[in-house]
Amino acid sequence: MSEPVFFPLSGPVSLSEIAALAGATLPPEVDGEAVIRAASPLESAGPDDLAYMDNAKYGDALAATRARACLVSPRFSARVPAGTVALVTPQPYRGFAKVLARLFPSAARPTSLFGATGISPGSFVHPTARLEPGVVVDPGVVIGPEAEIGAETVLAAGCVVGPGVRIGRGCAVGPGASVLHAFLGNRVIVHGGARIGQDGFGFAMGPGGHLKVPQVGRVIIQDDVEIGANTTIDRGASRDTVVGEGTKIDNLVQIAHNVVIGRHCVIVAQVGISGSTTLEDYVVLGGQVGVVGHLRIGMGAQIAGSSNVNKDVPAGSRWGGTPAKPVREWFREMTTLKHLAARARDEGGEG
């Protein structure tokens, strides 16, 4: 049985093109027309491969690599072995990502699972839906009445686009995802199984039962947002749920109704954000962070993984713990508890 190739190479890339993509310096004695055919980790790279290094933990692997070329920061350039071309750049990892996108363009976003072009047989597109040129629709896709899909967008097998939904140009919606009651900007990526626009968890509680509150808002997702697999974004109750441009959301994240997320935020896996909370621009939430409702997390704030946020967080601060607090205060508390536990253990042992 032959080994499958899930991400075919787009073709070799020259060292001069790599240097241009990565913002790296090509040594003057090196032939810029020499080509790289693949990208690999330091330890397994061979004479046709590009690697990168920007972490001191991998210094030994860098010294032993057999890669044809390596993207490396200035502080580690002296450790590149003689047989490897050192492509020095301030941001090796970012440069490596740009080269990977050049080498493996199909890996950057969900693509047709059927090798389809245009509207596939077996899809269900309502007659009143409007699709611009170049839209790809896989088998099993359902597009509802009055929906509009922008040019060059890909809808993978089994995804659902609800009535009146707007999806911009150059987007990708992965297999089995659903987009309802939502407007998506351009170049938005929605990975498989994500759920966008279902109703929020809203009930008027009472001893006689819990009365469901109709959720009549929308979800607004701006340009260049990426939404991970099986993430859920509820539509607003009476106002919109909003995700700002450039924000990146990992897998298995829950974003409740009326949440507003600013631009270029990073939200890692298994985060839960309760209703009507606001994240300003450039906020980072580590994995498994929980945020209670009706809070504001200020611009540039960072919350450590597994923390629970139960009050407003000032802009630019770093918090952690349960309940979350400034990291220095959190670390002092943890150190004090550690010392108290050690003292109690020692005193118990002496007794």
Side-chain angles (χ1 to χ4, degrees):
M1 182 180 294
S2 62
E3 182 178 353
V5 177
F6 294 116
F7 303 109
L9 281 162
S10 65
V13 56
S14 69
L15 290 177
S16 59
E17 185 179 354
I18 289 172
L21 285 168
T25 302
L26 185 67
E29 70 278 7
V30 171
D31 178 12
E33 298 307 308
V35 297
I36 292 293
R37 301 186 184 279
S40 298
L42 288 165
E43 59 272 17
S44 60
D48 290 330
D49 295 341
L50 174 73
Y52 83 97
M53 191 274 197
D54 67 351
N55 189 318
K57 291 174 59 177
Y58 300 101
D60 291 343
L62 174 63
T65 192
R66 297 177 58 249
R68 177 66 175 273
C70 183
L71 294 164
V72 63
S73 61
R75 62 180 292 211
F76 299 121
S77 59
R79 303 191 66 175
V80 177
T84 298
V85 177
L87 299 173
V88 180
T89 174
Q91 296 180 304
Y93 186 45
R94 190 177 183 89
F96 190 70
K98 291 182 177 181
V99 178
L100 279 179
R102 162 66 173 80
L103 287 170
F104 303 99
S106 65
R109 65 175 195 160
T111 57
S112 169
L113 302 186
F114 200 65
T117 57
I119 301 174
S120 299
S123 61
F124 301 87
V125 181
H126 194 275
T128 62
R130 295 178 54 202
L131 279 63
E132 290 187 343
V135 172
V136 174
V137 181
D138 263 2
V141 170
V142 176
I143 302 176
E146 307 294 337
E148 297 183 7
I149 315 294
E152 309 303 325
T153 286
V154 175
L155 304 178
C159 76
V160 175
V161 177
V165 164
R166 304 290 189 266
I167 296 178
R169 294 171 176 161
C171 296
V173 181
S178 58
V179 183
L180 313 172
H181 314 105
F183 294 166
L184 277 59
N186 298 320
R187 300 173 301 278
V188 172
I189 295 174
V190 179
H191 287 280
R195 300 287 179 236
I196 297 172
Q198 59 286 335
D199 63 346
F201 192 70
F203 297 89
M205 307 294 188
H210 308 314
L211 180 64
K212 187 175 182 66
V213 178
Q215 309 285 289
V216 297
R218 307 169 298 180
V219 177
I220 309 297
I221 297 175
Q222 297 178 359
D223 295 348
D224 300 303
V225 169
E226 183 158 351
I227 298 165
N230 295 324
T231 281
T232 58
I233 304 177
D234 297 342
R235 69 178 182 265
S238 56
R239 60 184 176 89
D240 296 332
T241 301
V242 179
V243 180
E245 65 173 336
T247 284
K248 310 302 181 187
I249 302 171
D250 200 355
N251 304 331
L252 295 168
V253 170
Q254 158 64 7
I255 297 171
H257 60 195
N258 300 344
V259 167
V260 175
I261 296 173
R263 299 173 302 145
H264 305 292
C265 294
V266 174
I267 301 173
V268 185
Q270 298 184 342
V271 163
I273 305 175
S274 298
S276 299
T277 284
T278 296
L279 277 60
E280 296 181 359
D281 298 345
Y282 300 99
V283 167
V284 176
L285 302 183
Q288 298 185 325
V289 165
V291 184
V292 305
H294 304 275
L295 299 184
R296 178 174 290 270
I297 299 179
M299 186 171 69
Q302 299 180 14
I303 311 297
S306 299
S307 300
N308 180 267
V309 181
N310 65 358
K311 58 184 176 182
D312 291 349
V313 178
S317 58
R318 298 174 62 213
W319 282 29
T322 300
K325 54 184 67 67
V327 289
R328 290 187 178 181
E329 181 181 341
W330 178 36
F331 289 163
R332 281 197 302 268
E333 289 181 0
M334 293 301 99
T335 301
T336 300
L337 287 172
K338 180 179 179 180
H339 291 162
L340 288 172
R343 182 185 302 172
R345 184 176 62 250
D346 292 342
E347 290 175 351
E350 292 173 359

